[in-house]
Amino acid sequence: MTEQISALLDDEIALEDAEHLMAGMQTNGHAGEVWSQYHLIGDVMRGANALSPNFKQNLMAKIDLEPTVLSPNAAWVNEPKVLSEANELNEARSKKQALDVKSKLPATHLPVVWSVAASCAAVMVVGWMVLQTQVGNQAAPAMVAQAALSQEVATLPATSEQGVPAEYLMAHQASAPSASSYYIQSASYTE
Amino acid sequence: MRIKGFVLACLFASTLSSASQTVLAASDDDKWQILQKAALAAHALSYQGIFVCQSGQQSKSVQIKHFFDGQNEFARNVLLDGSPREVLSQGGDLIIYNPKNEKIVIEKRRGQNMFPAVLPANLAAVKQSYTVRTGDIERVAGREAQILFLEPKDDLRYSYRFWIDTEYGLILKSVMFNSRNEMMDSISFTQLNLVNTVDLDWFKPKIDSKKNYVMEDEVPAQADYNPSPHWMLKQLPAGYRKVDQMLRTVHGKPLPVTHVVFSDGLASVSLFIEPITSGVKPRAGHSVVGNTSFYSSVAGYLQITVLGEVPEATVAAIANSVVFVK
């Protein structure tokens, strides 16, 4: 198990093949410790700044002060009117989710969750950057035009916009093609 | 068969009744009649030629050969620029031969809107959302063409301009403009003639035969007839109707995604509905890539994604028409 954890850390095991490891690290206290320690070793070897001794506990305490971190609608809390009964239900549900997750994960296992979350975030950031570049390269006029129309955009939370997966554009072109889409493939349709 | 024969007879009768009639077309009915004839001619004539397709910064030439034997329709479209892709269609079935690395990938699709058959056979929906107006006579691909404008009655769709062959009735050129009258998309014949072929020797792909031909990984979409208990559509934007609904397996998504297609007769919009994946921040906002508008939003536990070659107001209105049902 520890060897596999080490391999996962070194990117020698694909994330999607590592579900059993994740599960193992969540249920097995020792494996979770190993994961944390390997990260610590790596940080020290790379000369990363050492964190204060109680960093994890302090961080978790601060996160506890933010009750709706896992809410699926977190980004929409400021949105007026859209809230309604549906959202009350959401909030109740997300609080329950937050509690569920916490109760399942004793403090020592949290780094696992954090590293997974970090990977997801990295993937999203990369995806978004790729889309941004494409938009910049291929559709500069459209972007300029969009800036003029940005009134509506401004009402949306800026941090929540991410790229729409290219699969959706491909699915759209497969089921509802425009006459030119048979011959000219759009910017985010990569071959 | 009997209907097609009749339709063909009408087509030829009206084609023979001289071009001057189309030039002098006065009433709206006459103008719609020209479009109706163009929709039909694209299917019922046999022709070959080259057209140029232009969208954004890109432009591609395509060689087309279309053959109608009175019963069945065959067409072969060969991309002349860049990767030698070929699109073969027989009736509504369409097969794309797409060279990818060392293979030729075969993709099956449902054929629709293939130039010059860009107009639907039934123009009722189009009449509801667009007004028609005649323009000048211009030369396109060495042929005389009548210009017809299709202008939207509201700001939920783009406008179109068609150049229609005064003799054959075929669409020679089709251009889409946005509300600021900027050209979004253009397809235009540079060369066209009618043909009298009987053989079908040409109806096969001629891409590198040394390469392996492989079927694409099954496009995982299945028809979805069941009304969902979790969402419903309220107040679609004017003129748009639901034309299709399917369940799609999307790479990287644990659950199938519902894909709903809307159309106003000319423009199409896709709506994707999926449950929000826990731990993944939901998407929200607008973007525009090329001619395609995107809009993401959240309804209850659902991630809504809408995209199409339509104005941003339309994708937003369709996204907002989805109501989460508890």
Side-chain angles (χ1 to χ4, degrees):
Chain A
M1 184 98 176
T2 49
E3 266 172 43
Q4 283 182 300
I5 291 174
S6 168
L8 178 64
L9 219 68
D10 294 337
D11 278 343
E12 283 161 12
I13 297 180
L15 207 54
E16 53 266 32
D17 298 331
E19 268 175 47
H20 69 283
L21 276 177
M22 302 289 181
M25 286 186 283
Q26 285 189 10
T27 50
N28 177 338
H30 174 67
E33 281 296 321
V34 168
W35 174 259
S36 298
Q37 282 167 5
Y38 280 3
H39 270 288
L40 184 61
I41 292 168
D43 285 347
V44 170
M45 284 169 71
R46 280 188 296 273
N49 288 340
L51 299 167
S52 58
N54 292 326
F55 176 79
K56 197 162 76 183
Q57 282 78 1
N58 292 343
L59 179 64
M60 292 321 295
K62 286 199 172 159
I63 285 172
D64 278 340
L65 295 174
E66 297 176 21
T68 52
V69 168
L70 289 171
S71 163
N73 271 4
W76 289 79
V77 171
N78 296 329
E79 190 74 5
K81 287 179 190 166
V82 181
L83 302 171
S84 62
E85 304 120 302
N87 255 31
E88 281 168 29
L89 187 75
N90 260 1
E91 265 179 35
R93 179 176 172 270
S94 58
K95 273 182 192 156
K96 184 172 170 292
Q97 262 187 353
L99 288 174
D100 281 350
V101 171
K102 277 181 203 157
S103 61
K104 276 186 211 146
L105 296 170
T108 49
H109 301 152
L110 276 156
V112 179
V113 177
W114 280 106
S115 67
V116 172
S119 324
C120 290
V123 168
M124 288 191 291
V125 167
V126 171
W128 175 231
M129 278 164 60
V130 167
L131 192 85
Q132 282 286 299
T133 330
Q134 283 167 340
V135 167
N137 289 345
Q138 311 256 353
M143 286 304 285
V144 173
Q146 202 194 354
L149 294 167
S150 59
Q151 202 183 2
E152 232 175 321
V153 178
T155 63
L156 295 165
T159 51
S160 62
E161 195 178 327
Q162 301 156 22
V164 171
E167 278 88 0
Y168 288 0
L169 185 57
M170 287 159 68
H172 169 67
Q173 291 183 343
S175 297
S178 67
S180 57
S181 66
Y182 293 103
Y183 315 108
I184 293 178
Q185 285 161 347
S186 293
S188 41
Y189 186 113
T190 48
E191 281 188 49
Chain B
M1 174 58 205
R2 199 183 304 153
I3 293 170
K4 273 200 174 151
F6 169 72
V7 154
L8 205 61
C10 289
L11 176 69
F12 285 132
S14 52
T15 309
L16 289 172
S17 70
S18 101
S20 60
Q21 207 177 17
T22 55
V23 179
L24 299 171
S27 77
D28 272 4
D29 277 352
D30 290 343
K31 294 168 201 161
W32 285 112
Q33 196 60 42
I34 298 174
L35 289 172
Q36 188 72 65
K37 205 171 86 177
L40 209 67
H43 295 289
L45 293 177
S46 295
Y47 47 89
Q48 63 182 13
I50 291 172
F51 59 80
V52 176
C53 196
Q54 208 175 334
S55 185
Q57 307 290 317
Q58 296 192 67
S59 144
K60 297 271 163 86
S61 296
V62 181
Q63 185 180 44
I64 184 175
K65 183 156 184 175
H66 178 272
F67 173 58
F68 181 64
D69 67 2
Q71 219 167 346
N72 296 305
E73 228 187 307
F74 304 87
R76 175 165 173 254
N77 294 263
V78 183
L79 220 69
L80 299 178
D81 301 325
S83 171
R85 198 140 39 96
E86 295 198 14
V87 182
L88 271 74
S89 67
Q90 182 170 358
D93 298 322
L94 191 134
I95 298 175
I96 302 173
Y97 296 86
N98 203 1
K100 270 184 190 166
N101 303 325
E102 291 312 303
K103 290 173 186 158
I104 308 283
V105 181
I106 301 173
E107 300 164 15
K108 282 188 163 181
R109 295 278 183 274
R110 221 173 22 177
Q112 54 180 19
N113 303 341
M114 294 276 290
F115 184 81
V118 290
L119 293 168
N122 184 351
L123 289 174
V126 181
K127 282 182 195 174
Q128 220 175 68
S129 304
Y130 299 84
T131 54
V132 66
R133 181 165 69 81
T134 41
D136 295 337
I137 301 277
E138 274 184 11
R139 253 179 105 236
V140 176
R143 301 197 52 82
E144 187 182 83
Q146 166 74 56
I147 299 179
L148 277 187
F149 299 87
L150 273 188
E151 280 153 353
K153 294 183 181 173
D154 50 31
D155 55 3
L156 294 170
R157 57 211 102 233
Y158 294 136
S159 68
Y160 298 81
R161 196 174 300 172
F162 298 111
W163 282 253
I164 298 171
D165 193 304
T166 49
E167 185 187 352
Y168 301 156
L170 265 178
I171 289 182
L172 296 176
K173 181 174 177 179
S174 154
V175 181
M176 182 171 84
F177 295 90
N178 66 14
S179 56
R180 291 178 298 278
N181 223 26
E182 296 158 344
M183 193 182 88
M184 314 273 296
D185 196 307
S186 146
I187 309 188
S188 174
F189 273 111
T190 55
Q191 190 189 315
L192 170 75
N193 51 282
L194 296 192
V195 288
N196 285 314
T197 44
V198 275
D199 67 88
L200 274 172
D201 290 353
W202 53 273
F203 189 66
K204 58 186 172 216
K206 289 196 191 89
I207 313 181
D208 200 342
S209 57
K210 279 170 256 151
K211 289 187 177 175
N212 275 339
Y213 283 50
V214 293
M215 292 300 295
E216 74 175 322
D217 303 334
E218 197 58 41
V219 179
Q222 61 188 77
D224 176 21
Y225 303 110
N226 301 321
S228 165
H230 302 301
W231 56 268
M232 53 190 284
L233 297 168
K234 273 190 187 160
Q235 191 106 56
L236 285 170
Y240 286 90
R241 287 179 192 77
K242 182 171 125 178
V243 292
D244 210 349
Q245 180 171 336
M246 62 210 109
L247 280 175
R248 213 171 248 291
T249 315
V250 175
H251 180 72
K253 303 276 177 194
L255 295 168
V257 175
T258 304
H259 181 182
V260 189
V261 181
F262 302 90
S263 172
D264 71 348
L266 285 175
S268 294
V269 183
S270 281
L271 159 70
F272 298 93
I273 302 174
E274 68 198 281
I276 290 170
T277 316
S278 61
V280 176
K281 203 168 177 184
R283 274 180 280 110
H286 276 271
S287 57
V288 177
V289 180
N291 293 337
T292 312
S293 301
F294 296 82
Y295 188 94
S296 305
S297 65
V298 174
Y301 304 144
L302 303 172
Q303 171 76 63
I304 310 297
T305 309
V306 183
L307 60 103
E309 294 79 24
V310 292
E312 292 178 48
T314 312
V315 284
I318 288 182
N320 293 330
S321 76
V322 183
V323 181
F324 174 68
V325 181
K326 270 188 266 186

